[in-house]
Amino acid sequence: MARIRSIGTKPEMRIRKILSTSGYRYRLHVKKLPGKPDIVMGKRKLVIYVNGCFWHQHPGCKRQSLPKTNEEYWSTKLRRNVEKQWMDIEELKRLGWNVAIIWECETKKLDSLKTRLKEILSE
Ligand SMILES: [Zn+2]
């Protein structure tokens, strides 16, 4: 449970694979942008966050439920995560970036993930 969100998580790998097989170019974890977004497509001024449903408390998602132990600790920690990302997104928008969020649970089914990406990229 105490795992830190790591680089190259599975949901992110699924997205990267679709993007690169479709010929899209992107950069990863760009440090100079607020919140070090997971996927950055500079030409399109588009950043994609790949959010873990638990770590970013996906609203209404069954994966967001808190552990029974240390509930206080987790709710504080996760609320900070959510707020931090919200501020990062505001900052990115202010800098003229488009921001898309793909939730971990949206990456499970390949077809719907492809559709989701197509939507994001045609916006
Ligand atoms: Zn979810």
Side-chain angles (χ1 to χ4, degrees), residues 33-72:
L33 289 176
K36 236 187 336 153
D38 300 311
I39 295 173
V40 176
M41 299 169 92
K43 266 193 201 162
R44 295 166 174 264
K45 280 289 236 180
L46 172 69
V47 310
I48 301 174
Y49 283 104
V50 186
N51 274 359
C53 296
F54 175 73
W55 294 104
H56 293 278
Q57 292 288 284
H58 188 188
C61 180
K62 64 173 190 282
R63 292 164 177 271
Q64 67 148 321
S65 55
L66 290 174
K68 296 272 179 281
T69 50
N70 287 329
E71 206 162 333
E72 180 87 34

Side-chain angles (χ1 to χ4, degrees), residues 30-116:
V30 178
K31 288 197 185 76
K32 66 177 186 188
L33 289 176
K36 236 187 336 153
D38 300 311
I39 295 173
V40 176
M41 299 169 92
K43 266 193 201 162
R44 295 166 174 264
K45 280 289 236 180
L46 172 69
V47 310
I48 301 174
Y49 283 104
V50 186
N51 274 359
C53 296
F54 175 73
W55 294 104
H56 293 278
Q57 292 288 284
H58 188 188
C61 180
K62 64 173 190 282
R63 292 164 177 271
Q64 67 148 321
S65 55
L66 290 174
K68 296 272 179 281
T69 50
N70 287 329
E71 206 162 333
E72 180 87 34
Y73 164 82
W74 283 108
S75 72
T76 305
K77 181 183 171 66
L78 296 174
R79 195 179 57 240
R80 270 195 213 121
N81 265 3
V82 173
E83 285 170 359
K84 167 79 167 65
Q85 186 170 62
W86 188 80
M87 284 191 289
D88 290 336
I89 288 173
E90 287 299 300
E91 180 66 7
L92 282 164
K93 285 183 174 165
R94 207 180 55 78
L95 296 168
W97 289 85
N98 299 303
V99 180
I101 291 176
I102 296 182
W103 294 95
E104 178 187 1
C105 63
E106 294 180 306
T107 66
K108 298 287 171 194
K109 290 187 184 137
L110 189 61
D111 282 346
S112 48
L113 178 58
K114 278 182 181 166
T115 310
R116 180 85 177 93

